[in-house]
Amino acid sequence: MKKLILGIVASSLSYSAATQAKNPITEEMFTADPAAIVHQDTVYLYTGHDEDVDNSFYHMNDWLLFTSKDMVNWQAHGPILKVTDFEWADKHAWASHMIERDGKFYFYTSVYHNNDKPGFAIGVAVSDSPYGPFKDARGSALLTNDMTTQTENDWDDIDPAIFIEDNGDAYMFFGNLVPKYVKLKDNMIELDGEIQVIDLPRFTEALWVHKKDDNYYLSYASGFPETIHYAMSKSIHGPWEYKGLLNEIAGNSETNHQSIIEFKGKDYFIYHNSAIQHDSAIGGGGRYRRSVAVDKLEYNDDGTIKRIIMTSEGITEPAQ
Ligand code: FUB
């Protein structure tokens, strides 16, 4: 009964409320798997949405959007896409990634395919605006479980992360247990070539690629419960040199899933933990009741990254 009441409270909450600076960025709903982009003067932060149906799995049905102009104050915009918007998908609105190209916004995401091709798949939706509306860009999955044969599990093709080179070449990184990447065609909705396997120590999932100066960074979740580690390279194709631990186990969450951005000259590490307090309106965090948090990210002079310090305060100094 308690769970039912909590469910009713959560579903009646407004998605348009502005939230205050602290971690997590919202206590009005459970959020996970952050994927942020900077577009013009705004950070668009897309997240998954833990439903905690029966405290048994990552039951997730839609993806949410939060925006900020200073990394301190966040505005919630509600679901931008649902699993059911992909007609070929059954369930599991898992980790996603957004990227802009030529004025179009492409939302790549993990989702479970229907019985035609059972197993996890990656879909791509598109919109003319970062706020949506988004629609399935292909009417079919971009990548299906039968295309990845390195492991037995049917979730080895989750967690897409897109990177576009300065020359326009686009790549999708993804995977669970075995990290992989594949080139995308210029239209961003078709694969262009073979899937390549990457060599990273103790890889679990949640790849994220970013570039600073002439260094490429590949960060990822390792082990289980997960810690976030990273590797560096001078090329998007590697070889990737392992550099070590970036973020510790995120409290009572087994998953940690990071996103790294630079905004108005500062760098940020966005991740999830399960730190919503038990006296919050929606109850406390847990394994399947995660929440997105933001902390500072700092580089050393040689380009390596300092260990992240997770805080309850979050970002307190507005970016300007
Ligand atoms: O949220 C479901 C899954 O848990 C994601 O796809 C993984 O990255 C992990 O966070």
Side-chain angles (χ1 to χ4, degrees):
M1 175 58 99
K2 189 175 170 205
K3 206 177 256 182
L4 179 64
I5 293 168
L6 287 175
I8 292 168
V9 170
S11 63
S12 65
L13 284 169
S14 162
Y15 278 118
S16 62
T19 53
Q20 285 285 310
K22 65 176 181 53
N23 277 333
I25 64 161
T26 179
E27 291 196 354
E28 296 183 3
M29 60 208 94
F30 294 109
T31 54
D33 302 329
I37 59 162
V38 175
H39 180 65
Q40 295 169 349
D41 65 344
T42 302
V43 174
Y44 295 84
L45 170 58
Y46 301 86
T47 77
H49 182 192
D50 277 349
E51 303 274 1
D52 185 35
V53 179
D54 52 9
N55 196 28
S56 67
F57 198 51
Y58 304 103
H59 290 295
M60 306 166 83
N61 298 316
D62 53 18
W63 296 271
L64 310 176
L65 169 62
F66 300 83
T67 57
S68 177
K69 290 189 184 294
D70 61 8
M71 294 303 284
V72 169
N73 298 289
W74 291 92
Q75 187 79 30
H77 300 275
I80 51 115
L81 195 71
K82 308 182 294 297
V83 170
T84 48
D85 292 329
F86 294 109
E87 273 183 21
W88 46 269
D90 254 3
K91 54 189 175 182
H92 298 331
W94 284 15
S96 64
H97 190 110
M98 171 66 75
I99 199 132
E100 185 266 343
R101 180 168 199 160
D102 300 332
K104 289 204 179 295
F105 294 82
Y106 296 89
F107 186 77
Y108 298 79
T109 193
S110 323
V111 75
Y112 199 88
H113 206 288
N114 66 20
N115 276 338
D116 294 347
K117 286 201 172 169
F120 273 89
I122 292 175
V124 53
V126 67
S127 173
D128 293 330
S129 159
Y131 297 98
F134 288 91
K135 64 168 198 233
D136 185 352
R138 294 168 46 98
S140 63
L142 172 63
L143 197 143
T144 48
N145 182 47
D146 55 336
M147 294 162 71
T148 51
T149 51
Q150 295 85 3
T151 64
E152 291 287 308
N153 76 37
D154 73 356
W155 62 94
D156 61 352
D157 50 338
I158 59 170
D159 294 4
I162 315 301
F163 187 86
I164 303 179
E165 290 268 74
D166 290 341
N167 69 2
D169 288 352
Y171 298 92
M172 180 170 74
F173 290 69
F174 66 100
N176 177 284
L177 294 185
V178 176
K180 299 169 273 273
Y181 78 115
V182 62
K183 191 167 185 292
L184 297 174
K185 290 189 177 170
D186 289 349
N187 64 16
M188 300 298 279
I189 63 168
E190 288 176 274
L191 305 186
D192 187 8
E194 297 294 308
I195 294 170
Q196 311 285 332
V197 168
I198 306 167
D199 185 22
L200 291 172
R202 208 148 190 253
F203 172 78
T204 302
E205 59 189 3
L207 285 164
W208 180 270
V209 195
H210 74 281
K211 192 178 179 193
K212 178 112 173 159
D213 302 327
D214 62 346
N215 290 317
Y216 293 81
Y217 296 82
L218 189 52
S219 51
Y220 63 98
S222 174
F224 204 80
E226 296 173 347
T227 47
I228 304 300
H229 295 240
Y230 77 107
M232 290 173 66
S233 178
K234 293 291 181 194
S235 160
I236 193 71
H237 302 290
W240 295 97
E241 188 179 341
Y242 176 71
K243 291 293 178 183
L245 178 63
L246 200 50
N247 197 32
E248 277 293 355
I249 291 171
N252 54 346
S253 173
E254 288 160 326
T255 59
N256 197 316
H257 203 116
Q258 80 296 354
S259 173
I260 294 171
I261 56 164
E262 180 180 348
F263 181 59
K264 297 184 177 171
K266 292 190 173 151
D267 301 285
Y268 298 93
F269 186 83
I270 312 172
Y271 59 103
H272 67 230
N273 55 28
S274 294
I276 288 191
Q277 293 292 304
H278 284 279
D279 60 2
S280 85
I282 57 171
R287 192 177 184 188
Y288 306 114
R289 298 161 68 87
R290 300 167 293 178
S291 44
V292 168
V294 187
D295 278 302
K296 283 189 294 196
L297 181 141
E298 291 175 316
Y299 294 88
N300 296 306
D301 290 344
D302 65 357
T304 56
I305 309 177
K306 295 183 181 172
R307 282 272 283 275
I308 303 298
I309 301 172
M310 291 184 276
T311 68
S312 303
E313 296 87 351
I315 303 302
T316 51
E317 200 180 310
Q320 20 193 314

